[in-house]
Amino acid sequence: MWHFWGDKDSISGDFIVVGTDNEGKEHPVLVSGNDTVWQYSNTSISPHNGADSHIPSNMLFPTSGLCKLEIYFNDKLFDEIVINVKDS
């Protein structure tokens, strides 16, 4: 689950996550049904645990190792983080 703090315009609309692996290749990582997708469309503001908004989600990564996640709302970069993906 993603938690976001910010004004309504910056944390609603199309939610996009781009995963970039160690080799610089971009991947869709959000899970929708049995598929990985680039975005969840038309997300809306829904406060949760002190955050201004939250988006329940599942993610699937094609490789282990460091992965940069770029988070966008309506094609505007909101933030980015780097995570270490481990094999399960």
Side-chain angles (χ1 to χ4, degrees):
M1 180 174 309
W2 297 85
H3 289 91
F4 299 101
W5 290 265
D7 62 74
K8 181 179 179 181
D9 292 333
S10 69
I11 56 175
S12 61
D14 292 341
F15 174 66
I16 302 163
V17 178
V18 177
T20 304
D21 64 22
N22 288 343
E23 298 176 5
K25 185 174 180 186
E26 293 182 345
H27 302 276
V29 295
L30 295 172
V31 175
S32 179
N34 292 324
D35 299 316
T36 54
V37 296
W38 293 102
Q39 76 180 34
Y40 294 155
S41 296
N42 299 318
T43 58
S44 60
I45 297 291
S46 179
H48 187 265
N49 286 342
D52 294 325
S53 186
H54 76 288
I55 300 171
S57 63
N58 291 312
M59 292 187 289
L60 181 65
F61 300 93
T63 60
S64 60
L66 293 178
C67 181
K68 179 173 76 169
L69 300 176
E70 295 176 327
I71 300 115
Y72 295 84
F73 284 98
N74 294 322
D75 295 322
K76 182 177 179 187
L77 181 64
F78 178 80
D79 205 352
E80 58 186 32
I81 60 173
V82 175
I83 61 171
N84 188 14
V85 178
K86 297 182 179 183
D87 289 329
S88 58

